[in-house]
Amino acid sequence: MVRRHPVSSVLAAVFALVVVYGAVDSADEEQTLRDRTTSANDHGAPAVPEDEPAREEEARPSKGGDEPTKSAPRLRAPRPHGPRTYLVTRVVDGDTIELGNGETVRLVGIDAPEVGECGYERAADNLARLALGKAVRLGRSDEDRDRYARLLRYVDVGAQDAGLRLIKNGLAIARYDSRDGYGFHPRETLYVAEDTHTKQFACAPKPQPFVQQPPSGGCAPGYTPCAPPYPPDVDCAQVNGPIHVSGSDPHGLDADGDGVACE
């Protein structure tokens, strides 16, 4: 048959070789894929299906700075926000301050001496040492502002409550709270308790001018201020000088005769 149909025989032989070669090649490719998958799994890397696209990773410079390396994007942690603070630029008195933003703050729940009253300078100085030039925190109370548009706030300097500190130092009293017609403020109980057993600062009494009382028997004429009538005789140790002498000077107080005795 080969001799009768040489062309057909050749074609059949070629077709048989192609089929055999294709089967062998397909088997080789399948074995190669198995080998790769097995090799990847042996090194701990998961096998990736061929139909799954590779995931893109964010490129970033390598530590050496030559070629960028790829890594998963990292989220930036939010910055912590602490309590807001305000700079104290002026101390008006023991219960009022001014801030760098232009606001005036009236300390809640206390009352310190006003200008001209006993303890004013000491209370203002105490608050200045506590807060002036420092960053303070403002604590809200039961009200926002007073009739003068001042902020009503607690003033905390670090861990110290400035208002409570003035009460403890005897330079302010607990006031403007629920006991006298105002609302109850959050720190009222603490303020009142501290004020109850704290001795308040008191100024030394001012010396009173000496006023010589006229003697029971009246005044001798010609002496200002009063000198007792003569007799008996008195000297300068017994009267409050100086004394202006305009008369005869029966006591002899004006020794130099210049009209002013007991200088």
Side-chain angles (χ1 to χ4, degrees):
M1 182 175 180
V2 173
R3 291 177 182 178
R4 294 178 182 179
H5 304 284
V7 176
S8 299
S9 300
V10 171
L11 292 176
V14 170
F15 177 77
L17 290 174
V18 169
V19 170
V20 171
Y21 180 80
V24 171
D25 187 58
S26 177
D28 290 343
E29 287 183 358
E30 183 177 355
Q31 182 62 38
T32 301
L33 180 59
R34 287 198 203 97
D35 292 342
R36 289 178 181 174
T37 303
T38 303
S39 175
N41 287 334
D42 288 343
H43 288 82
V48 180
E50 292 181 352
D51 59 348
E52 180 178 341
R55 297 179 181 176
E56 290 187 7
E57 295 180 340
E58 182 181 0
R60 61 181 177 85
S62 64
K63 291 184 179 180
D66 297 326
E67 294 295 331
T69 59
K70 294 181 179 181
S71 64
R74 291 182 294 179
L75 297 177
R76 183 174 297 175
R79 296 180 179 178
H81 295 285
R84 187 173 181 181
T85 59
Y86 301 84
L87 178 66
V88 178
T89 56
R90 179 174 176 244
V91 170
V92 179
D93 54 30
D95 52 37
T96 309
I97 60 174
E98 292 180 359
L99 305 177
N101 63 1
E103 290 278 12
T104 300
V105 178
R106 175 65 166 79
L107 275 65
V108 172
I110 72 168
D111 188 26
E114 303 296 332
V115 177
E117 296 180 349
C118 171
Y120 161 75
E121 293 87 356
R122 187 178 289 256
D125 289 346
N126 194 173
L127 185 56
R129 287 194 300 272
L130 284 171
L132 185 59
K134 297 179 182 179
V136 302
R137 299 188 310 276
L138 302 182
R140 286 187 172 272
S141 179
D142 59 314
E143 296 182 72
D144 185 48
R145 294 181 184 267
D146 63 9
R147 59 178 178 171
Y148 304 107
R150 299 178 297 186
L151 289 172
L152 297 173
R153 297 290 188 273
Y154 301 112
V155 175
D156 295 327
V157 188
Q160 280 198 103
D161 178 339
L164 183 61
R165 173 50 56 188
L166 264 77
I167 293 176
K168 289 182 176 181
N169 291 344
L171 299 171
I173 60 173
R175 196 178 172 195
Y176 303 116
D177 49 38
S178 62
R179 299 172 303 166
D180 47 11
Y182 293 82
F184 180 88
H185 64 87
R187 303 184 191 180
E188 179 177 329
T189 302
L190 180 61
Y191 282 21
V192 172
E194 193 64 43
D195 189 24
T196 301
H197 65 264
T198 299
K199 183 178 180 181
Q200 292 297 309
F201 171 78
C203 297
K206 296 180 179 179
Q208 298 296 322
F210 177 78
V211 178
Q212 183 173 349
Q213 298 298 323
S216 58
C219 298
Y223 293 105
T224 307
C226 179
Y230 181 85
D233 190 18
V234 296
D235 57 26
C236 286
Q238 298 172 293
V239 295
N240 183 32
I243 294 179
H244 293 276
V245 180
S246 59
S248 59
D249 188 18
H251 294 293
L253 300 176
D254 185 12
D256 57 5
D258 63 353
V260 181
C262 303
E263 303 172 75

